[in-house]
Amino acid sequence: MRCIIAGSGISGAVLARELAEKGNKVVVYERRDHIGGNLYDYVDEHGYLVHKYGPHIFHTDDEGVYQYVTRYTKWSPFKLECGAVWDGRYTVTPFNFHTIDTFFEEERAERIKKKIKERLPGRETATVVELLEHPDDDIRGFASYLFEKDYAPYTAKQWGISPHEISPDVLKRVPIRLSYATGYFNDKYEMMPAYSYTRLIQNILDHRDIVVETGIDVLDHVRIWGTEIYWDGVKFEGLFVYTGALDELFAHQYGELPYRSLRFEWRYSDMDSYQEAPVVAYPQEKGFTRITEYKKLSLQKGTGTSYAVEYPYAYKESEKMEPYYPVPTAKSQEQYARYKDLADQIPQLVVCGRLAEFKYYDMDQAIKNALKVADDPSN
């Protein structure tokens, strides 16, 4: 069967490989001038491997996903440490008992920690949403402080809306540690590619029945009429896999879905170290949300340091921006459901990935989802 896949990010690459392994002829079209989607990385002019579209760290508890990625490239163990800065002070993230010690005077800090141990016995983590609703004044006060200083201003900048409008799942994504434990993830496997993410994608796509074409936007060639797909005016008879923004495929007939885009300011410093952790959030700073210091992201050696300052803003297709994150509100979920209903009526169409499914996926989740879709594209 002939298969067209729109997008060469991790979802498109995994689907291309799996479909080719089943004997299908696959063509991958990528509108950018490189493969890998937002996972693309490269060595900058200072000799540091940087991620063009923001930091990516592979982590998973899924043995099958781990076995899959290790089939295509070598990996090195890497434990991510992150942080946040406000009021001139640094704290690790996820927030933990160190955070309490840093921002509260000693007597109150000890009281908060004692109550957390008593009221949440045996718990390793809790979400800020849960703690904001806790009946104890001190625990709730700690959560309110974090919400005011970090969650609310960071969310407002990142998503462009009030934190009260965003799906609670967004606020739950990074839990609060109820101890002095550190580390951003708790997964069994946490690692970085020994070479690069780009090489991982190259290896996945390296198959005799896969052809990759960059610099081609499928939306310039594909039209949907009724429940049929046409390529350059000719009815397409194969499988069409779409990993882009779903509203764009259907010409925005139900309006534009909200996505967030990002702008990066790339900088270099002669300093050996710019900040305390590879990825640090700055909720109080105007405009930008976080800084990634790539020298520290995969423990690279060299003179000076390369880093990127990250500015989020509203995605506009007409301005040739890159969509990064779906904005999950009650209204946008209802709007997306209408587009998904249209897609479900087209037997040859498969939508897969963060943008097409209007859903936040970590890398391992995206891989697992793509493998599941490849097993039964008609489902």
Side-chain angles (χ1 to χ4, degrees), residues 310-322:
E310 191 170 315
Y311 292 82
Y313 54 106
Y315 167 69
K316 296 179 181 178
E317 181 193 1
S318 60
E319 297 183 14
K320 303 299 181 182
M321 299 176 180
E322 298 292 345

Side-chain angles (χ1 to χ4, degrees), residues 210-359:
I210 297 176
V211 175
V212 180
E213 300 281 353
T214 59
I216 296 177
D217 190 340
V218 298
L219 297 181
D220 293 334
H221 301 273
V222 166
R223 294 293 182 270
I224 294 176
W225 290 318
T227 59
E228 296 179 336
I229 299 173
Y230 287 79
W231 183 273
D232 288 338
V234 179
K235 185 178 177 182
F236 179 65
E237 299 292 349
L239 185 71
F240 180 64
V241 178
Y242 185 74
T243 67
L246 197 56
D247 57 326
E248 295 177 10
L249 180 63
F250 290 102
H252 305 299
Q253 62 181 278
Y254 296 135
E256 295 186 10
L257 286 169
Y259 295 91
R260 295 294 281 176
S261 189
L262 298 173
R263 176 175 63 84
F264 297 93
E265 286 186 1
W266 291 93
R267 301 178 184 176
Y268 172 81
S269 171
D270 291 331
M271 301 169 61
D272 284 334
S273 174
Y274 182 78
Q275 57 188 15
E276 293 196 46
V279 183
V280 177
Y282 295 85
Q284 291 179 337
E285 297 298 327
K286 185 176 181 180
F288 72 89
T289 50
R290 63 181 180 177
I291 295 176
T292 300
E293 188 174 0
Y294 283 96
K295 180 178 185 178
K296 295 176 179 175
L297 192 61
S298 51
L299 304 179
Q300 302 177 67
K301 298 183 183 297
T303 303
T305 188
S306 292
Y307 62 97
V309 185
E310 191 170 315
Y311 292 82
Y313 54 106
Y315 167 69
K316 296 179 181 178
E317 181 193 1
S318 60
E319 297 183 14
K320 303 299 181 182
M321 299 176 180
E322 298 292 345
Y324 286 79
Y325 306 105
V327 182
T329 65
K331 179 181 178 181
S332 66
Q333 297 288 6
E334 292 176 4
Q335 187 181 12
Y336 173 77
R338 299 181 71 186
Y339 282 114
K340 186 60 167 59
D341 285 342
L342 289 179
D344 289 342
Q345 296 171 31
I346 304 170
Q348 299 164 269
L349 175 62
V350 173
V351 297
C352 184
R354 180 188 290 191
L355 298 180
E357 296 181 63
F358 206 70
K359 181 185 297 185

Side-chain angles (χ1 to χ4, degrees), residues 12 56 58-59 66 142 219 322:
H56 293 84
F58 182 85
H59 58 98
Y66 170 77
F142 169 52
L219 297 181
E322 298 292 345

Side-chain angles (χ1 to χ4, degrees), residues 2-74:
R2 182 188 176 200
C3 301
I4 288 179
I5 296 184
S8 65
I10 192 66
S11 295
V14 170
L15 271 162
R17 182 68 184 228
E18 295 305 297
L19 290 171
E21 293 284 358
K22 296 176 185 294
N24 299 291
K25 301 294 183 181
V26 180
V27 180
V28 178
Y29 291 108
E30 170 59 58
R31 64 181 175 81
R32 290 181 262 199
D33 62 1
H34 59 74
I35 63 170
N38 290 349
L39 205 57
Y40 174 72
D41 53 10
Y42 65 97
V43 176
D44 73 1
E45 61 187 292
H46 306 289
Y48 288 111
L49 181 70
V50 298
H51 301 178
K52 184 173 183 178
Y53 304 99
H56 293 84
I57 297 88
F58 182 85
H59 58 98
T60 190
D61 276 326
D62 191 293
E63 191 68 32
V65 171
Y66 170 77
Q67 294 296 333
Y68 189 85
V69 296
T70 54
R71 187 188 313 164
Y72 292 105
T73 195
K74 294 181 179 179

Side-chain angles (χ1 to χ4, degrees), residues 125-165:
T125 63
T127 69
V128 69
V129 175
E130 180 182 0
L131 297 189
L132 283 169
E133 298 171 348
H134 199 279
D136 183 87
D137 289 342
D138 284 309
I139 294 176
R140 192 171 63 254
F142 169 52
S144 296
Y145 174 81
L146 294 180
F147 189 81
E148 174 191 346
K149 293 292 187 177
D150 180 85
Y151 286 94
Y154 190 91
T155 299
K157 284 191 294 184
Q158 177 72 5
W159 300 100
I161 59 176
S162 164
H164 301 288
E165 295 179 61

